Amino acid sequence: KPLEKEADLDSYVPAYYIDNEKYYVAAEDIIIPPDTDSTDYTVVSAIDCNESEITPSVKAVLGINENVYCSADTLYLSGSAKGEKKHTTIVSFDLAGGKITKKAIASIEGTIFTGSGMNQYIDTLRVAVKIYDENGTKSAAVYMLDSSLAITDSTKQLLDGKNVTGVKFSENYVSLMVNDEKSAALILDLTSTAPVQAQSLMKSSSAYI
């Protein structure tokens, strides 16, 4: 129902400021993903610094505030979603023309590695995640998603039972590290139909770290 008091706006509607003047994000610019596990908003804005008057393009997303990755043309936000299994929601925005436009939203199993778990190469978003089974055993997985965030390929149960602590993408390869070690415990070749372990690179993995 409509909010009855001005104070209600501050409790429920995200806002931003221009020269200390407060503006509420328009309803059509607020994105509420399904199964959001947080009441916090992430507000993103684009500003043309060449214009004399500030007229930002603004979007707000409820609950998606754990990882941010930006390529040359797309901004990705990700965060935890509710459910029996640990899932992550990803929201993507097109940045063309200095505007922010919602592109897609999707959910994948697992928790994205903070800071390094997302990478766009050409038109493919690659995502590395931690997965826990019903017994609490850890493993890693790598997803490949198209521009609509549909999964085109995935490889799961990587380094099953190992403490995977780091990930690094390098063009067509992804390296996975365990126990905070700098050398790769596993390198995947992402150019094949389904990502496979790059056996020939295991002895020279330092080139990709």
Side-chain angles (χ1 to χ4, degrees):
K1 64 181 181 179
L3 300 177
E4 298 176 354
K5 301 176 182 178
E6 181 74 16
D8 289 340
L9 290 175
D10 292 325
S11 298
Y12 298 106
V13 182
Y16 59 98
Y17 291 81
I18 299 177
D19 293 332
N20 293 320
E21 185 174 352
K22 188 173 187 177
Y23 298 85
Y24 292 102
V25 179
E28 61 269 22
D29 292 326
I30 299 175
I31 298 161
I32 303 178
D35 298 324
T36 295
D37 198 18
S38 170
T39 57
D40 293 332
Y41 281 101
T42 298
V43 179
V44 294
S45 60
I47 299 172
D48 188 343
C49 296
N50 294 318
E51 296 291 335
S52 57
E53 183 177 347
I54 298 178
T55 55
S57 174
V58 179
K59 294 290 186 289
V61 183
L62 180 65
I64 306 303
N65 55 10
E66 295 174 3
N67 282 285
V68 178
Y69 173 75
C70 192
S71 68
D73 55 13
T74 307
L75 174 69
Y76 300 92
L77 302 179
S78 72
S80 300
K82 292 180 180 178
E84 294 182 4
K85 293 183 178 180
K86 192 71 172 179
H87 282 72
T88 294
T89 298
I90 303 174
V91 182
S92 64
F93 297 93
D94 189 292
L95 303 179
K99 302 293 184 181
I100 300 176
T101 307
K102 177 191 170 187
K103 287 179 65 176
I105 182 170
S107 179
I108 59 174
E109 182 185 2
T111 303
I112 296 178
F113 285 89
T114 301
S116 59
M118 290 189 286
N119 175 268
Q120 181 180 316
Y121 186 62
I122 306 179
D123 294 325
T124 300
L125 176 68
R126 293 93 62 88
V127 180
V129 301
K130 297 179 183 179
I131 293 180
Y132 298 84
D133 65 17
E134 60 275 9
N135 299 316
T137 302
K138 303 175 185 177
S139 64
V142 175
Y143 297 94
M144 303 178 74
L145 302 93
D146 62 18
S147 59
S148 64
L149 296 183
I151 297 174
T152 58
D153 250 317
S154 66
T155 300
K156 298 183 179 181
Q157 292 187 316
L158 301 171
L159 299 172
D160 200 11
K162 303 291 185 180
N163 181 30
V164 182
T165 55
V167 57
K168 182 176 178 62
F169 289 95
S170 178
E171 295 187 350
N172 291 318
Y173 301 94
V174 59
S175 303
L176 301 175
M177 283 70 77
V178 299
N179 299 325
D180 294 319
E181 294 179 359
K182 294 183 179 181
S183 58
L186 177 67
I187 297 175
L188 289 183
D189 180 355
L190 303 177
T191 60
S192 58
T193 303
V196 297
Q197 182 173 337
Q199 296 280 2
S200 62
L201 297 175
M202 295 301 289
K203 293 182 180 180
S204 60
S205 60
S206 59
Y208 297 92
I209 302 302

